Amino acid sequence: MLALRLTRGTHPLILTRRLLVAAASAGVGFLLLCTLGHALGHPEQSSASTLRLLWCVLPLAATVQFAVAVARTDPSTRPRPGLSAIGLGPARLALLAAASTAVTCALGSAVALLLYLHLRGGLTGLPSDGAAAGLLAADRPVPLAAVLTLLALVPVTAAAAAALALRPRTAPSPEDSEGADETMPSGLPWGVALVAIGLAVETYAGRGGGGDGLPLPGRFDGSPAAVLAGWVLTAIGLATAGPGLVHGCGRLLQAVRPGAVRLLAGRVLTAEARRIGRPLGVVCAVLSGMIAATTLYASDSGSDAFGPLTGLGATLILACTCATLLTAALESRQSRAPVTEALLLVGAPPATLRAAALVRTGALLVLFLPLTWLVAALAALPLKG
């Protein structure tokens, strides 16, 4: 009840972010229900239905990541003086954020259920002359337990992830905080190794030809499962290496007698590498995968390789990862607000701060755009042959 009361009184921008989380949850819930419809309509293809369900893990993970990012930037989850006196300490605030996330995702799941029942004809008859009847198995009864289990996946997973991300942690010592910005995040070597392993798996699968097909929701079922497994390893590697790449970019900006703009931009990147590096790596992985897939199927446009549900899943993944990156950038800006105010108080020109922001953005684009293109080209090259 407290989570609902806080939701009603929040800022419109925060409500907009929560509505975006609900929309993403609705999309994932609809994908899961369509997978259930495929299983009901094709009971003899249990393995294909299982693989379709496993493919839905990717949009589910992107939605959960976005929901956690929104929960981290919610002002109601931040400890404030006086809240502990009424029983709202850090642990209670984490549980409150988890409850708010669960309510938001449950709203999206309810919308997905209504849309699914509407397309099946369970509310007002079959719409669009029954065009979706075969896809959703409209002639078969829907098991209620399976529907509730699938629709509960997003709220439960997102709530657990939000509670885990916002759990109280021990404060670092002053000595640790002073040197925190000067070290390379330790994930860079592991990330590079995972990217190399993922590309090697994709190359091996592409040269081997004819692997087991992985039927995705819609049409687009010609890729061997090993190719997609290699892409997943590549994506995990880029997400792991992202903080190290951002930190290294910040160190390069500060090298060779930097001026005030480069020094400020580099210090911000090194300080915020862990916060924005992982979302940047995930966006890089998603864009590289989509570029590679589009390149592979560009010459076969007449086959309609991308079905409607595949397009929905890809749109969800891209939208959620980009929204997560923007939310992480907003969180980074909020954490720098006291430093920005202090710089303005001591006479720093606002134009200098804007120039530092442009330099940071340009440096990240110069680093990650070629990296995205390179990974996409290496992933698509063995499959073309």
Side-chain angles (χ1 to χ4, degrees), residues 28-297:
V28 176
F30 184 74
L31 280 178
L32 292 171
L33 292 178
C34 290
T35 302
L36 175 62
H38 179 273
L40 293 176
H42 305 82
E44 72 282 357
Q45 301 179 9
S46 58
S47 59
S49 300
T50 302
L51 289 175
R52 286 170 174 259
L53 183 63
L54 290 177
W55 183 83
C56 293
V57 171
L58 296 180
L60 172 64
T63 301
V64 169
Q65 183 192 26
F66 179 39
V68 172
V70 170
R72 289 174 62 94
T73 57
D74 194 336
S76 62
T77 63
R78 300 173 189 165
R80 289 186 291 267
L83 290 181
S84 298
I86 60 174
L88 289 179
R92 289 289 183 89
L93 288 177
L95 294 178
L96 182 62
S100 300
T101 303
V103 170
T104 303
C105 294
L107 175 62
S109 297
V111 173
L113 178 60
L114 290 177
L115 179 60
Y116 179 73
L117 294 178
H118 173 66
L119 293 178
R120 279 177 52 91
L123 298 179
T124 58
L126 286 173
S128 304
D129 297 327
L135 180 63
L136 304 180
D139 57 338
R140 296 177 179 271
V142 179
L144 180 60
V147 170
L148 295 179
T149 300
L150 291 177
L151 290 180
L153 281 178
V154 179
V156 171
T157 307
L164 184 63
L166 297 175
R167 71 188 186 279
R169 295 179 175 88
T170 57
S173 63
E175 293 80 6
D176 295 337
S177 60
E178 288 177 0
D181 295 343
E182 300 300 329
T183 58
M184 289 291 285
S186 59
L188 183 58
W190 293 102
V192 173
L194 285 174
V195 171
I197 293 173
L199 292 176
V201 170
E202 293 182 42
T203 303
Y204 177 79
R207 290 180 176 177
D212 294 334
L214 180 57
L216 305 182
R219 296 170 289 273
F220 185 41
D221 49 4
S223 295
V227 172
L228 294 179
W231 179 83
V232 171
L233 286 175
T234 303
I236 296 175
L238 288 173
T240 305
L245 293 174
V246 174
H247 191 275
C249 185
R251 295 297 295 269
L252 286 177
L253 285 178
Q254 300 176 72
V256 192
R257 302 177 63 182
V261 174
R262 279 202 298 132
L263 182 61
L264 183 59
R267 290 294 295 175
V268 170
L269 286 182
T270 54
E272 302 295 332
R274 290 179 173 85
R275 180 175 283 119
I276 65 174
R278 187 167 289 110
L280 262 176
V282 173
V283 171
C284 177
V286 171
L287 289 178
S288 63
M290 290 187 174
I291 292 172
T294 304
T295 303
L296 287 174
Y297 289 91

Side-chain angles (χ1 to χ4, degrees), residues 291-377:
I291 292 172
T294 304
T295 303
L296 287 174
Y297 289 91
S299 60
D300 195 18
S301 57
S303 64
D304 192 18
F306 294 92
L309 297 183
T310 303
L312 175 60
T315 302
L316 280 174
I317 294 173
L318 180 61
C320 288
T321 51
C322 291
T324 301
L325 177 59
L326 294 177
T327 306
L330 177 61
E331 182 186 8
S332 175
R333 180 181 179 183
Q334 292 174 348
S335 67
R336 295 196 314 269
V339 178
T340 303
E341 293 178 0
L343 290 174
L344 293 175
L345 285 176
V346 299
T352 301
L353 301 181
R354 290 193 294 267
L358 290 177
V359 169
R360 292 197 306 269
T361 305
L364 292 178
L365 289 177
V366 169
L367 173 64
F368 280 92
L369 284 182
L371 178 63
T372 301
W373 177 84
L374 178 62
V375 173

